[in-house]
Amino acid sequence: MKRKHNILLLLFWGLSVVLMAEKIQVFNFPNASNRVQFGVESLTKALNEKGYTVNNKFTKKISSKQKTIIVFEQSDVNAGQILKKLKVSIPENIKKEGFFITTVKSTTIVCGADGVGALYGCREIIDRLNDNKQLDL
């Protein structure tokens, strides 16, 4: 009887941890370069390891209730509509392999001057996550 009680407590605790995991959406636009895709995959893996529940499904609608990270290259024409909605302008002087990160409400933009820059921007967020033990953007 005591063993069943302990097993039930363990299952309840496990379920509560899963339900309490913070949800975050991380995505790139369709036809993103391999480096951008790799950056998103690396960021997703790091967030999962820290206990976040990550959704990588691309969407044109950004939720104000859920943290979202969007990764793209400065030349990506798909970013314009979302940037306009968020009222974000990307600096034109990002140097080769450089990146720009900004957060508006619950949405974080990671814009690389090129694919390498976008990957470095993802690495910056991963480093912050590892340093702070939580996502603080």
Side-chain angles (χ1 to χ4, degrees), residues 19-98:
L19 293 175
M20 291 182 354
E22 185 174 356
K23 296 177 182 174
I24 186 165
Q25 184 171 12
V26 180
F27 68 87
N28 52 263
F29 294 108
N31 302 318
S33 70
N34 290 337
R35 289 188 173 114
V36 171
Q37 292 176 29
F38 180 71
V40 169
E41 290 167 8
S42 299
L43 181 54
T44 297
K45 181 180 176 188
L47 288 163
N48 282 328
E49 289 173 356
K50 296 293 182 181
Y52 289 87
T53 301
V54 181
N55 174 5
N56 291 118
K57 185 178 178 188
F58 169 75
T59 181
K60 291 183 179 181
K61 292 184 179 181
I62 305 298
S63 170
S64 61
K65 298 176 183 176
Q66 181 180 10
K67 283 187 180 179
T68 302
I69 300 174
I70 307 169
V71 182
F72 58 91
E73 293 178 46
Q74 191 169 16
S75 61
D76 194 327
V77 296
N78 295 305
Q81 197 173 23
I82 289 177
L83 293 173
K84 187 175 181 179
K85 180 179 177 183
L86 295 171
K87 298 178 182 172
V88 172
S89 58
I90 303 297
E92 292 183 22
N93 61 345
I94 303 174
K95 295 181 181 176
K96 182 179 177 184
E97 299 183 358

